[in-house]
Amino acid sequence: MTLTLASRARGTTGRARGHRGRAVLTWIATHAFALALAIMFLAPLGFIALTAVMTDHQALTSRLWPERWEWGNFAEIFQKAPLLTWILNTLLYAVLATVFMLVSSIPVAYALARFRFPGRRLATLLVITTMMLPPQVVAVPVYILWARFHLTGTLWPLILPMLLGDAFSIFLLRQFLVTIPKEYSDAARVDGYGEFGTLVRVILPMARPAIAAVALFQFFYCWNDYYGPLLYAGTDTSHWTLSIGLASFRAVHRVQWNLTMAATLLAMAPVIIVFFFAQKAFIEGVKLTGVK
Amino acid sequence: MATTTLGRRGRAVPVGGRRRPALRALLYLSPWLAGFSVFFAYPLIATVYFSFQRYDLFTLEPVGLLNYRYFLKDEAAWTAIRNTLWLVVVMVPARVLFGLGVAQLVTKLKAGVGFFRTVFYLPSLVPLVAGTLGFVYLLNPGTGPVPAILSAIGLPSPDWFGDPGWAKPGLTLLGLWSVGDLMVIFLAALLDVPKQLYEAAALDGAGPWQQFFHVTLPVIRPVLMFAAVTGVIQTLQYFTQAMVAARVASGSTDSAGSVFTPGYPAQSTLTFPEWLFHQGFRDFAMGYACVLALILFAVSMVFTLFLLRQFRGLAEEDA
């Protein structure tokens, strides 16, 4: 009797320990796997950073760690190419396009999300359709249009249209604005606000996370944009953006991979730094694009 | 539900009837209405018109169906279509599956969730040009660290962006690295799956795999579909990575304006939008580029309509 009890007791504790043991093993395996994957995700960034401070010779010989830290590479890329001009052009493009986009897209998104008017569904569908269609579809006539205004060879064909709204931003803002309960607008109406007052005083403050997300997306879209500047900036390097300059960088400086990687690091650094300060906004924005 | 209907019905109609709200909506929508007409509706019609013309920005000459007939014989265009199709068939599913796998892994983690989510998301923010440059260098045999590591552990490494058979897999690798945007969407969807469903399945004796196939997948299916269809639409526009990889790997001395035939090596990375760009804005065969644009429009439209049908919620009241 005692024996059976004892053995049974041992049996259960043994099984429980086995269960916990398996859980611990699973925990370790899962986290080890995630860590290995994380290292693989980070490795390209790490190697780019390390190559950026190698000597020219070393970058050509598959070394993984710099023998000598060539911090001078960063100064050298500014002497070898008009990097500062490219950075300023890119900033001008990104800042103006973002401000213009916000000014024009917020009222549109607001109307689509919260006004009731005939044709609203159709308008929303058209916004989504233009957002989905490749920009290349209408590239030829739009290019000809800008050529008539003698604005090809500058970045204005990329900046000015933002005054007329951006479909992707309108869609994301709308997705957020429809989730704000109608009661807030009603309360604002009771307080004597008109439609515009409601938008500015009540809705905009509530929509701050969504506005931050679309502003960041727009800014980085412009910062990273290659197709647009390639189409319009032309051959004069003083109108280039960082992305075009970077793509041609290696060609101009033959096989100097260390300098190319230094310039590459420079182009991605702002994105990475801003991301660490504004992570939440990015993640919120991405989630707005996904349907539930 | 009831409150919405009530609120809607109960809402006072402003003085002046239906006209004033419509006018006000028109005012708020005016920037987009102007943008839509000038940068979308008009160019779409103009594209059809130019597709029947020979146009090089200076002289315009009607040529009937010549551009369309030229397309049928344009070897490069068909190569570009095959390449784009390859990316749709290989890269899109690979990205969706990998993104889902990474998201699923993150849900299983108990320590450092924020760290891992950040690390997996970060590469998707890296500028495309910078990421592509980095990958061409890192995978480059002779100079890159990846072949060096592979050979150190006794593995062969292909000439990624120099061998026509390996250039598209190289681009796919880059696509997998920047899977973070999909991962975040999937993660949000996975975290929304009701816990009770898993508990009920576990009570019925379902193991982890059965739970995944019978609980997780059916619940997140709409999000998967959305990711797949938008992935196809994005891939139809695939341009920057292919262009930059070809240009850098070939060591082309091209600057933005000079002649450069994309697709290096051996047209293996030539995508449809690249060929359109090259025809329209490097060779200034703008009429022919419009034919290519219309084909791109037709194919993209099919997928967009499919997307809208699947996700009526996109434009619904309370999406």
Side-chain angles (χ1 to χ4, degrees):
Chain A
M1 184 69 188
T2 24
L3 202 107
T4 19
L5 258 178
S7 66
R8 200 184 290 164
R10 197 173 343 121
T12 32
T13 48
R15 211 180 309 145
R17 205 180 298 142
H19 216 82
R20 207 178 312 139
R22 201 153 0 110
V24 170
L25 276 183
T26 314
W27 192 98
I28 293 173
T30 317
H31 286 75
F33 183 65
L35 200 63
L37 203 62
I39 291 169
M40 278 162 73
F41 268 72
L42 288 175
L45 300 175
F47 282 131
I48 289 167
L50 287 172
T51 309
V53 290
M54 283 180 185
T55 60
D56 188 20
H57 170 74
Q58 210 194 346
L60 285 174
T61 50
S62 282
R63 296 293 170 73
L64 301 183
W65 196 258
E67 293 168 341
R68 195 153 50 97
W69 297 75
E70 287 284 338
W71 297 108
N73 286 350
F74 290 105
E76 206 178 331
I77 53 174
F78 278 90
Q79 287 157 10
K80 290 235 162 140
L83 265 186
L84 203 62
T85 311
W86 295 345
I87 292 171
L88 289 176
N89 285 343
T90 314
L91 274 176
L92 183 84
Y93 168 30
V95 170
L96 282 182
T98 305
V99 173
F100 288 1
M101 179 281 287
L102 286 178
V103 170
S104 60
S105 300
I106 289 175
V108 179
Y110 182 63
L112 290 179
R114 306 186 74 84
F115 289 4
R116 326 217 71 243
F117 58 91
R120 184 181 65 149
R121 231 182 95 79
L122 178 71
T124 311
L125 280 175
L126 285 178
V127 168
I128 297 172
T129 308
T130 51
M131 172 180 99
M132 289 297 170
L133 287 176
Q136 291 98 341
V137 164
V138 291
V140 170
V142 173
Y143 183 90
I144 294 167
L145 200 69
W146 291 112
R148 291 236 174 92
F149 288 111
H150 301 287
L151 282 174
T152 47
T154 73
L155 294 170
W156 290 109
L158 304 172
I159 299 168
L160 292 176
M162 285 300 148
L163 276 173
L164 301 182
D166 170 64
F168 179 65
S169 310
I170 292 171
F171 172 69
L172 287 197
L173 285 170
R174 192 207 85 104
Q175 294 294 86
F176 185 86
L177 291 179
V178 287
T179 64
I180 298 179
K182 287 214 165 44
E183 285 72 26
Y184 287 96
S185 308
D186 296 342
R189 198 72 32 84
V190 171
D191 286 348
Y193 286 126
E195 202 60 76
F196 187 73
T198 309
L199 169 61
V200 174
R201 298 290 172 84
V202 180
I203 303 295
L204 286 192
M206 297 179 79
R208 219 176 277 156
I211 293 171
V214 292
L216 279 174
F217 275 160
Q218 180 67 43
F219 187 90
F220 283 124
Y221 174 82
C222 297
W223 183 269
N224 299 343
D225 186 16
Y226 176 70
Y227 178 77
L230 188 68
L231 194 52
Y232 288 111
T235 46
D236 184 350
T237 56
S238 66
H239 289 127
W240 283 12
T241 62
L242 200 51
S243 59
I244 312 191
L246 198 58
S248 307
F249 196 85
R250 196 181 93 89
V252 179
H253 302 288
R254 289 168 299 114
V255 283
Q256 286 182 286
W257 277 115
N258 57 339
L259 298 188
T260 308
M261 287 304 116
T264 303
L265 194 65
L266 193 81
M268 56 172 90
V271 181
I272 293 173
I273 292 167
V274 174
F275 172 68
F276 277 106
F277 285 104
Q279 264 193 61
K280 261 187 91 167
F282 279 106
I283 307 269
E284 278 309 306
V286 176
K287 282 190 205 157
L288 279 180
T289 61
V291 281
K292 288 265 169 78
Chain B
M1 197 60 206
T3 44
T4 346
T5 345
L6 222 163
R8 233 181 263 158
R9 205 186 298 149
R11 196 165 155 188
V13 180
V15 201
R18 285 179 64 94
R19 186 171 273 181
R20 266 196 52 201
L23 274 180
R24 193 182 54 203
L26 212 59
L27 176 73
Y28 277 71
L29 290 178
S30 57
W32 176 73
L33 285 174
F36 180 79
S37 327
V38 179
F39 296 113
F40 195 79
Y42 152 74
L44 208 53
I45 297 163
T47 299
V48 176
Y49 171 74
F50 283 126
S51 73
F52 297 109
Q53 312 283 323
R54 177 177 294 161
Y55 188 47
D56 59 2
L57 215 51
F58 298 105
T59 52
L60 190 66
E61 179 198 344
V63 291
L65 286 172
L66 195 76
N67 289 324
Y68 289 87
R69 258 186 260 137
Y70 180 76
F71 166 72
L72 296 175
K73 288 181 294 176
D74 184 1
E75 288 292 334
W78 289 101
T79 305
I81 289 173
R82 275 194 297 274
N83 287 336
T84 303
L85 207 63
W86 191 99
L87 293 170
V88 166
V89 172
V90 178
M91 191 159 69
V92 175
R95 268 175 59 88
V96 169
L97 289 178
F98 187 58
L100 180 62
V102 175
Q104 181 76 19
L105 177 67
V106 173
T107 63
K108 298 279 179 241
L109 295 173
K110 296 199 173 57
V113 179
F115 164 80
F116 285 112
R117 202 187 54 191
T118 303
V119 169
F120 297 141
Y121 180 60
L122 189 62
S124 67
L125 282 173
V126 168
L128 289 178
V129 174
T132 312
L133 266 170
F135 264 65
V136 173
Y137 168 71
L138 295 175
L139 296 177
N140 187 9
T143 64
V146 174
I149 294 170
L150 285 177
S151 78
I153 54 175
L155 286 172
S157 178
D159 185 5
W160 290 94
F161 292 101
D163 179 340
W166 283 94
K168 282 190 287 290
L171 290 173
T172 306
L173 219 52
L174 177 63
L176 291 181
W177 183 60
S178 57
V179 81
D181 44 357
L182 281 183
M183 188 271 299
V184 173
I185 295 177
F186 290 152
L187 190 58
L190 288 174
L191 294 175
D192 268 358
V193 180
K195 285 266 183 311
Q196 303 92 292
L197 290 181
Y198 289 117
E199 282 158 14
L203 276 179
D204 289 345
W209 286 104
Q210 281 168 314
Q211 287 185 23
F212 179 76
F213 281 106
H214 296 292
V215 178
T216 313
L217 270 191
V219 176
I220 66 164
R221 202 189 70 94
V223 180
L224 276 180
M225 280 288 287
F226 179 81
V229 180
T230 50
V232 171
I233 295 173
Q234 278 167 19
T235 307
L236 294 175
Q237 313 175 23
Y238 199 79
F239 180 85
T240 301
Q241 298 95 314
M243 191 85 169
V244 174
R247 175 178 283 187
V248 174
S250 70
S252 145
T253 50
D254 169 58
S255 55
S258 63
V259 182
F260 167 71
T261 305
Y264 178 87
Q267 292 194 333
S268 62
T269 62
L270 181 68
T271 65
F272 196 75
E274 271 189 283
W275 191 235
L276 195 167
F277 179 86
H278 191 75
Q279 288 295 307
F281 306 104
R282 290 296 173 261
D283 288 353
F284 289 104
M286 294 186 134
Y288 180 56
C290 284
V291 172
L292 299 177
L294 287 174
I295 293 164
L296 188 61
F297 174 73
V299 178
S300 308
M301 201 62 203
V302 169
F303 283 99
T304 304
L305 288 177
F306 180 71
L307 188 78
L308 289 173
R309 270 189 94 80
Q310 291 285 313
F311 301 94
R312 281 156 209 258
L314 279 177
E316 286 305 337
E317 201 86 0
D318 321 283

